[in-house]
Amino acid sequence: MTSERSEADTVAYSVENGIAWVKFNRPEKRNCMSPQLNRQMMRVLDELEYDDSVGVLVLTGEGTAWSAGMDLKEYFRENEAKGLGAVRQAQSEAYGWWRRLRWYQKPTIAMVNGWCFGGGYGPLHACDLAFAADDAQFGLSEINWGILPGGGATKVATNLMPMRKAMYHAMMGENIDGTTAAEWGLINEAHPADALRERVTEVANVLLEKNPVALKATKDAVRRVMEMTYDNAEDYLIRAQEAANSFDNDGRKEGIKQFIDDKTYKPGLGSYDRTQQG
Ligand code: ACO
């Protein structure tokens, strides 16, 4: 038996002023990730990725949770009962949309409105930026029910937090609130719940003003160079810059022109005006 909500209804979204607000939409199950939700999320990401009306994607949750991690019944127990093939298929559906999100064409922001557990760390890390309610709760609860933080969660914890904090977080099964999550590096900032959307909108609006080719190249570069030696990173960045230039030479030239010739802005203080681009 699976839940009664239709697959299409496990994810909700709307697009407003260039921002796609995508929601985990199983509030009655605290937005835990079932195979249906994972498949639907991939469809929604697919639909929005090259939609010209979308400049930034925000991932948030309906109700009291961001996501209570994997669905212990529908993702774990029911698939384990079917056998290894079903387990692997469910994994690839979940990991597939997280990977898609990690390398998404548009900038992405996690807006963590409530509970965020275990498997939820996959999409949390996949988003480029993360903002949470100060009373949101983050936990690697795997240890509390007898597994290790798999599905990338251990890697996420060690990527984002210093080793002692990651170890404590993974071994103790205690939750931290949004304020502590910001201090530990899991997210960028924590805000009172009623101010969260306003702050995320403000950040998204800044991103909407930037050159989108440069933004995609920048977000990829940050993730790629983390795993490179200095020399490899230097080489990668030369190639990435050249590739970005070949796709957006005019934007880059316009940025230089508005500063050097027109004197209409200063790059140290804000973005050039993309609407002036010929
Ligand atoms: N898997 C399956 N069902 C879940 C999950 C989950 N991860 N989380 C919540 N639910 C279900 C509950 O079973 C319950 O279903 P029911 O109404 O049919 O009984 C419903 O969602 C509501 O959950 P409650 O526990 O009643 O909600 P409450 O607000 O009191 O508690 C909390 C919220 C703390 C998030 C709690 O639901 C919980 O501990 N969930 C599990 C969190 C977790 O450890 N997730 C797994 C992480 S490990 C991993 O992802 C690999």
Side-chain angles (χ1 to χ4, degrees):
M1 275 289 287
T2 52
S3 58
E4 287 171 19
R5 184 179 286 271
S6 74
E7 187 160 317
D9 203 25
T10 56
V11 177
Y13 72 90
S14 63
V15 179
E16 295 162 35
N17 304 319
I19 306 171
W21 299 90
V22 178
K23 281 186 179 180
F24 293 105
N25 194 38
R26 298 179 76 210
E28 69 284 0
K29 296 290 180 187
R30 304 303 178 260
N31 298 327
C32 64
M33 289 175 268
S34 61
Q36 287 90 341
L37 182 145
N38 290 327
R39 287 194 287 269
Q40 185 60 19
M41 193 63 89
M42 183 64 113
R43 282 187 205 107
V44 169
L45 293 181
D46 203 27
E47 193 170 321
L48 296 173
E49 187 161 22
Y50 298 102
D51 181 331
D52 289 339
S53 70
V54 175
V56 175
L57 184 143
V58 177
L59 181 59
T60 189
E62 180 64 39
T64 57
W66 193 68
S67 173
M70 308 319 293
D71 188 317
L72 269 51
K73 178 169 167 283
E74 296 182 28
Y75 177 87
F76 282 110
R77 193 169 65 185
E78 291 179 1
N79 283 315
E80 281 165 21
K82 289 180 201 159
L84 184 61
V87 169
R88 289 280 184 264
Q89 182 182 339
Q91 286 170 340
S92 63
E93 287 166 353
Y95 303 171
W97 78 260
W98 304 345
R99 189 179 311 114
R100 183 75 177 269
L101 197 57
R102 275 202 305 284
W103 303 105
Y104 210 59
Q105 189 68 30
K106 313 284 169 67
T108 54
I109 304 175
M111 185 171 90
V112 184
N113 51 302
W115 306 109
C116 177
F117 285 110
Y121 282 39
L124 177 71
H125 172 256
C127 288
D128 303 321
L129 301 172
F131 296 80
D134 52 17
D135 60 356
Q137 294 286 313
F138 295 79
L140 289 179
S141 55
E142 285 89 339
I143 197 70
N144 293 342
W145 61 281
I147 68 164
L148 62 78
T154 299
K155 181 65 176 161
V156 170
T158 55
N159 267 10
L160 298 180
M161 297 189 278
M163 182 268 195
R164 291 288 178 213
K165 295 214 184 300
M167 192 68 91
Y168 186 95
H169 198 53
M171 290 180 72
M172 296 292 283
E174 292 174 4
N175 298 334
I176 57 174
D177 65 14
T179 305
T180 307
E183 284 166 16
W184 287 16
L186 262 182
I187 60 169
N188 292 93
E189 296 171 13
H191 293 275
D194 60 5
L196 182 60
R197 188 178 163 111
E198 189 182 338
R199 173 63 181 142
V200 168
T201 305
E202 184 179 77
V203 171
N205 283 336
V206 172
L207 294 172
L208 286 172
E209 288 178 5
K210 308 291 183 200
N211 178 316
V213 175
L215 269 182
K216 168 67 173 151
T218 298
K219 57 181 260 179
D220 287 1
V222 170
R223 287 187 193 269
R224 294 283 185 210
V225 302
M226 279 173 65
E227 295 176 357
M228 293 180 191
T229 62
Y230 190 94
D231 283 335
N232 286 346
E234 190 178 71
D235 192 49
Y236 166 85
L237 292 168
I238 288 170
R239 313 292 146 206
Q241 180 69 68
E242 285 170 0
N245 288 354
S246 71
F247 272 105
D248 189 44
N249 227 358
D250 292 345
R252 186 166 147 274
K253 285 177 181 165
E254 180 67 25
I256 294 176
K257 174 180 166 289
Q258 288 180 19
F259 176 51
I260 300 294
D261 304 330
D262 306 344
K263 301 197 183 305
T264 48
Y265 85 114
K266 294 178 192 293
L269 303 178
S271 289
Y272 74 95
D273 182 356
R274 289 202 300 119
T275 63
Q276 298 302 312
Q277 195 169 322

